[in-house]
Amino acid sequence: MAVALMWEARALDGRGPELLEWARTRPLPGTPLRRETLSAPGDRVLVITWWEAPYDAELPELPEPGPDLVRRAVHRWRFESLDVS
């Protein structure tokens, strides 16, 4: 079963590029099947990692960036893959 972990943060005004670089360079203990980093207007950064594991497995996640970089706490979601195409 594949589990996707989603990590989304919103940077302080004008700090989006720094948050994006922070997320891109942050290592994880372990190697996911896939890791994708995305950005959106409003200085938002999203990182999705896919893992071959049960839904409730303990998996490595990106930490919280420092309060000098983000305007709110990180949002996190976990999903399991139901269809493989």
Side-chain angles (χ1 to χ4, degrees):
M1 169 186 319
V3 175
L5 301 181
M6 297 176 65
W7 176 101
E8 187 264 339
R10 189 163 184 194
L12 292 172
D13 287 336
R15 307 250 349 239
E18 291 172 72
L19 179 60
L20 181 59
E21 182 63 20
W22 182 95
R24 281 185 166 156
T25 60
R26 196 67 39 211
L28 289 169
T31 305
L33 297 171
R34 181 176 167 194
R35 178 176 174 162
E36 189 170 351
T37 304
L38 303 99
S39 65
D43 292 320
R44 290 180 293 143
V45 174
L46 174 67
V47 178
I48 307 171
T49 56
W50 285 263
W51 304 86
E52 188 63 42
Y55 181 81
D56 58 354
E58 193 166 320
L59 297 169
E61 296 192 51
L62 291 175
E64 293 275 337
D68 60 324
L69 193 55
V70 292
R71 69 174 70 195
R72 59 164 168 74
V74 168
H75 292 174
R76 300 170 193 272
W77 300 274
R78 181 178 288 227
F79 296 90
E80 67 180 316
S81 179
L82 300 176
D83 299 316
V84 178
S85 46

